[in-house]
Amino acid sequence: MLGDDDDVFDSVTWESPNAPATFEGPSTGLSGPGFRQSTAESEDGREPHDPKWEGYLITTVKDPVKELAETKDAYVSYLVTAKTNLPIFSTPNPSARRRFQDFVFLRTHLAKDFPACVVPPLPDKHRLEYVTGDRFSPEFMERRRLDLHRFLQRLARHPTLQRSTLLRAFFESTEWHVIMHQHVAHPPVPEQSSGVIDSISDSLLNAFSRVRKPDDRFLAMREHVDKFEEGVALSERVFSRVRSRTNDGNPEPGEDLTGDYHDLAVAVQGLGFLESGITDPLNHFSNTLLEFSALLRHTTQVTTDPFLVHLHSLLQYSHANRAVLKLRDQKQMDFEELSEYLSVVTAERDRLAAVISGRAGSTGLGLGAYIKDRVDALRGQDDDRARVERMRKLDGKIKELQDAVQTAHETSDAFSDETLREQKIFQRAKEAEMKDMLGNYADGQIEFYKAAMEEWERIIPVIQRIRVDV
C-alpha cells in the first residue's frame, strides 16, 4: 500500500551508469525502439523523460508443435528465439520451447513487477472470428503463433522490460517451471504490508472519484488516447464490413464479392454452351473469373484478416496504456485522500486542545463539534483525562499519517515521472507497429492487384482471337 517505502519503483531501472556509450548492433541494420544502434545520443540532447535503450533484442516465435498428442493433456509448444547484445543475457542467441500458459505467466508477473510499464496484452483466448477448426488446427496454431510473436516483439521494444530477469529466463532457462515457482515464492517486488491507508474507512477512500488537482499533461494524454482508440475502433468496424462484403469466410460461395464472381463465372460458362463459335474464349473468360474470385479469397485470408487481428491487438495495447494512466491518477488520488484525512485528524486534535485549554470559542467550535461533545458527555467521556488520552492517540495517528502522506507524495511523483517516460515508449512502439501494419497491408494489396492484372492480361489474346465478320 501507499505506506510502504518499497512502492517508489526501486525495481524499475531506466538508466545504467555502467552501460557503454555505444554498442555494435545487428548486421541487419534494423532501427527503431528496441533496435537502437546507439544508446548515447548526446546526453545534452535528451529530454529528462526520454527513454534510453542499452541494446537490441530481436525475438521470434515459430515452429508450433503439438505435444503429448492423442492424450487429454495435449498442448501446443512454440519455439521462441532471440538475437541480442544486452548484457543481462548469457548468450546472444537464446532459445527455448514454451507453451501458451508460459506466456500468460510471463505477462502476468511482468505486470506485477513493473506496474508503471505498459506491459502488452496477450491475445484473447476466445476471440476467434477469423479462425475455423479446433485449437490444434494449423490455422489456429498459426494465428496464435503470430499473436505471441507480436507480444514478444512489444516486450523487446521496451527498454525496461527487455532487460527483466524474468524475460531472460523465459528465453534461456531449461528449468522454466522451477523459475516460475521461485518467482512466485520470492517476487522481486515484496508483497505490500498493511499501512495506514488500510485503516481508513471505505467511505473516505471512495469519497473522491476524480483527481482533485488534475495535471494538464496527463489530461492531454488521456484525451489523445481516447481519440486514438476511437479512430482504431472505427477503422476496425469499417475494415470488418469491407471484409464481410468481400469474403464472409464461408468456404462455399455466398452473398459476398467472391461468391458473386464465382456465380458470374458459372453464368459465362453457361453462355459458352450456347455460343458454339466462341465457346473456348468464353470458357477461358470463365476460368479467369474463377481465378479472380480465388485471388480475392486468398487476399482476405493472408492480408485482410491479419490486418484486422493486428488492428484489434493495437486497440488492446492502447487499453493497457490507458490502465497505466488510470493507475497514475489513482496514486495521485491516494496522496490527496491521505492529505485530506491528515487535515481532518489534525483539526480534531486542535479542537480537543482548544477545549482543554478553555479556548473552544476561539477555534470556531461548529455544530458538528458541539454535537460530538454532547455525545461524549452522554457517554461519560466529558472530562479532561479522556480528552488528553484522545489527543495522545491523535498525535500518534498524525505522525503516522504525516509519514504516509510523504511516502504517497513521493510515490505519486515517481509514478508520474515513469508514466511520462512510458508514454514516449508507447508512442514510438505504436508508430513502429502502425508502420509495419499498414506497410504489410499495402504490400498485400499490391501483390493482389499484380496477380489480378496477370490473370486479366492472359485473357486479352484469347478474346482478340474471336473472329468478327463485318
Side-chain angles (χ1 to χ4, degrees):
M1 299 304 294
L2 288 177
D4 270 340
D5 292 332
D6 294 327
D7 198 21
V8 193
F9 307 104
D10 292 333
S11 63
V12 180
T13 303
W14 292 84
E15 307 284 343
S16 176
N18 298 323
T22 59
F23 66 85
E24 294 298 325
S27 59
T28 54
L30 296 171
S31 62
F35 307 120
R36 283 289 182 94
Q37 300 305 301
S38 174
T39 58
E41 279 195 306
S42 174
E43 291 295 325
D44 294 337
R46 293 178 69 248
E47 295 293 331
H49 298 115
D50 278 352
K52 184 178 179 181
W53 283 263
E54 287 192 359
Y56 65 85
L57 177 63
I58 306 171
T59 62
T60 58
V61 178
K62 56 186 178 181
D63 190 23
V65 174
K66 183 178 180 181
E67 309 280 2
L68 302 179
E70 311 303 327
T71 70
K72 63 182 181 62
D73 297 322
Y75 64 92
V76 177
S77 69
Y78 303 86
L79 178 64
V80 296
T81 64
K83 294 180 181 179
T84 182
N85 68 347
L86 291 169
I88 192 172
F89 285 86
S90 60
T91 173
N93 298 290
S95 65
R97 294 205 71 89
R98 298 288 180 250
R99 59 187 297 183
F100 183 76
Q101 291 302 320
D102 298 330
F103 286 86
V104 173
F105 181 91
L106 175 66
R107 199 273 166 191
T108 300
H109 287 271
L110 283 178
K112 290 181 179 179
D113 299 345
F114 302 95
C117 293
V118 180
V119 180
L122 278 169
D124 191 337
K125 205 170 185 179
H126 305 290
R127 192 174 191 276
L128 305 174
E129 289 95 328
Y130 312 120
V131 179
T132 57
D134 60 27
R135 64 192 182 100
F136 297 116
S137 67
E139 296 84 2
F140 181 92
M141 289 193 294
E142 176 60 15
R143 180 59 48 77
R144 174 64 59 80
R145 183 196 70 78
L146 288 172
D147 288 336
L148 297 177
H149 177 73
R150 185 178 301 117
F151 168 73
L152 288 186
Q153 279 188 321
R154 288 169 172 171
L155 293 181
R157 286 191 175 111
H158 198 289
T160 298
L161 300 178
Q162 68 170 195
R163 295 184 285 111
S164 68
T165 56
L166 189 61
L167 184 62
R168 179 197 64 188
F170 183 81
F171 280 103
E172 292 185 346
S173 178
T174 57
E175 299 180 340
W176 173 245
H177 291 289
V178 175
I179 295 294
M180 289 194 294
H181 287 301
Q182 290 177 345
H183 196 86
V184 172
H186 307 286
V189 180
E191 292 292 329
Q192 304 294 335
S193 61
S194 60
V196 65
I197 198 171
D198 294 325
S199 65
I200 305 176
S201 66
D202 291 339
S203 61
L204 176 63
L205 286 177
N206 297 327
F208 309 105
S209 59
R210 294 179 180 273
V211 174
R212 301 175 66 184
K213 296 181 180 179
D215 189 318
D216 290 340
R217 296 173 299 175
F218 299 107
L219 287 177
M221 288 178 187
R222 185 174 290 256
E223 181 180 1
H224 180 77
V225 169
D226 289 341
K227 291 180 179 179
F228 174 75
E229 291 183 356
E230 181 181 353
V232 172
L234 177 60
S235 299
E236 184 181 18
R237 288 195 300 271
V238 173
F239 270 103
S240 296
R241 189 161 65 242
V242 170
R243 181 202 183 281
S244 63
R245 290 174 178 174
T246 304
N247 179 19
D248 59 11
N250 192 334
E252 298 297 327
E255 298 298 325
D256 55 32
L257 196 56
T258 57
D260 290 342
Y261 275 107
H262 180 276
D263 294 341
L264 181 59
V266 173
V268 172
Q269 189 178 40
L271 286 175
F273 295 115
L274 299 175
E275 301 294 333
S276 58
I278 55 173
T279 298
D280 187 60
L282 286 174
N283 285 338
H284 277 83
F285 194 87
S286 174
N287 290 336
T288 300
L289 288 169
L290 288 174
E291 288 295 330
F292 186 72
S293 176
L295 277 174
L296 276 174
R297 183 175 290 107
H298 177 73
T299 301
T300 299
Q301 294 171 350
V302 302
T303 300
T304 307
D305 286 354
F307 178 81
L308 276 169
V309 171
H310 198 164
L311 202 60
H312 183 78
S313 176
L314 190 60
L315 184 61
Q316 297 300 109
Y317 197 13
S318 183
H319 290 343
N321 180 46
R322 177 189 291 276
V324 170
L325 288 172
K326 184 177 180 181
L327 185 57
R328 191 221 69 87
D329 288 348
Q330 184 60 54
K331 297 295 183 182
Q332 183 176 340
M333 284 191 288
D334 289 343
F335 166 64
E336 292 174 347
E337 291 161 5
L338 279 171
S339 300
E340 178 67 19
Y341 188 37
L342 175 60
S343 298
V344 171
V345 174
T346 302
E348 174 65 9
R349 193 265 182 205
D350 292 343
R351 186 190 70 82
L352 287 175
V355 171
I356 293 174
S357 63
R359 295 182 291 104
S362 64
T363 62
L365 186 61
L367 178 60
Y370 173 79
I371 294 176
K372 180 174 177 56
D373 279 347
R374 292 301 88 201
V375 173
D376 289 345
L378 290 175
R379 291 177 177 175
Q381 298 178 353
D382 189 19
D383 56 13
D384 287 345
R385 283 181 300 178
R387 290 192 179 96
V388 169
E389 178 62 21
R390 286 174 59 193
M391 282 183 59
R392 186 186 64 80
K393 291 181 179 180
L394 287 175
D395 285 337
K397 177 65 72 175
I398 288 171
K399 179 63 173 64
E400 186 180 3
L401 281 170
Q402 287 173 339
D403 293 341
V405 167
Q406 179 63 26
T407 299
H409 184 257
E410 293 172 356
T411 299
S412 178
D413 285 348
F415 212 105
S416 294
D417 288 341
E418 299 299 337
T419 302
L420 290 172
R421 291 189 183 93
E422 203 63 24
Q423 294 310 299
K424 293 195 174 185
I425 295 170
F426 178 75
Q427 183 65 25
R428 295 182 183 185
K430 180 179 66 176
E431 290 173 356
E433 282 203 26
M434 293 182 71
K435 177 182 178 180
D436 291 341
M437 179 179 66
L438 297 174
N440 290 338
Y441 184 81
D443 289 341
Q445 294 298 311
I446 291 171
E447 291 178 7
F448 162 71
Y449 284 108
K450 282 183 176 179
M453 286 179 62
E454 291 175 1
E455 289 293 335
W456 289 113
E457 286 174 350
R458 277 197 289 266
I459 196 63
I460 295 298
V462 177
I463 295 174
Q464 290 175 341
R465 286 199 295 268
I466 298 177
R467 296 179 61 87
V468 179
D469 295 329
V470 180

